[in-house]
Amino acid sequence: MNLEKIYQQTILEYSRRRELNREIENPTFAERGHNPNCGDDLTLEIKTDENDIIEDAAFIGSGCAISTASMAMLIDLIKGKTMKEAKEKVDLFFKMMKQEEKLTREESKKLGDAVLMEYVAQMPARVKCATLSWHSLKVIVEKSGIQEQ
């Protein structure tokens, strides 16, 4: 199976993760991402505990397969992590999407399946779809008070 088929299959699997498309009761943070060009409208909700650990994360709204798959990958990566760890993943994701320098093997591992979104970085019309949820997480991290390293 070639890389493009694996990419397409994985995107479809993640985009079908309906259990993540739900409201969280009393979320600590909620940030809407909207892409009028594509029609994506996704709100990321996060609930943290007193130690800044992300207890739960989900989204409400709808979007294309790439945006919902990217959101599902993001949620899988941050659940159970601290806001500081979430910030590190956001920073790595945008470093990857900018394509200015390659991620190290260790950095790629930290992104899990989200590294597949690098494939989208070469499709300018779809980059906004892939990064929509990550922009929302970036705003949430900034609101949480996590500072630049």
Side-chain angles (χ1 to χ4, degrees), residues 50-89:
E50 63 279 352
N51 297 315
D52 258 358
I53 294 173
I54 299 166
E55 291 182 318
D56 198 7
F59 72 95
I60 52 176
S62 61
C64 68
I66 291 174
S67 66
T68 55
S70 189
M71 177 71 85
M73 291 171 180
L74 176 152
I75 289 170
D76 281 354
L77 278 175
I78 65 171
K79 268 189 178 178
K81 303 289 191 278
T82 64
M83 290 298 285
K84 189 174 181 177
E85 289 170 308
K87 180 192 180 317
E88 178 188 22
K89 292 181 188 309

Side-chain angles (χ1 to χ4, degrees), residues 23-76:
E23 280 190 63
I24 294 176
E25 191 173 322
N26 302 317
T28 312
F29 301 98
E31 189 63 36
R32 179 180 179 223
H34 181 239
N35 179 357
N37 295 333
C38 182
D40 296 336
D41 193 350
L42 302 171
T43 298
L44 174 62
E45 295 186 338
I46 291 177
K47 189 170 201 161
T48 58
D49 69 10
E50 63 279 352
N51 297 315
D52 258 358
I53 294 173
I54 299 166
E55 291 182 318
D56 198 7
F59 72 95
I60 52 176
S62 61
C64 68
I66 291 174
S67 66
T68 55
S70 189
M71 177 71 85
M73 291 171 180
L74 176 152
I75 289 170
D76 281 354

Side-chain angles (χ1 to χ4, degrees), residues 29 31 44 46 52 54 78 82-91 134-148:
F29 301 98
E31 189 63 36
L44 174 62
I46 291 177
D52 258 358
I54 299 166
I78 65 171
T82 64
M83 290 298 285
K84 189 174 181 177
E85 289 170 308
K87 180 192 180 317
E88 178 188 22
K89 292 181 188 309
V90 165
D91 292 344
W134 295 85
H135 281 292
S136 294
L137 180 59
K138 186 174 194 243
V139 170
I140 288 171
V141 165
E142 289 166 0
K143 286 180 178 177
S144 77
I146 301 296
Q147 300 300 311
E148 290 290 324

Side-chain angles (χ1 to χ4, degrees), residues 14 23 36 44 64 75 80 93 95 98 107 111 114 125 136 149:
Y14 272 100
E23 280 190 63
L44 174 62
C64 68
I75 289 170
F93 185 82
K95 177 182 175 183
K98 286 180 185 165
E107 289 173 330
L111 286 179
S136 294
Q149 299 291 314

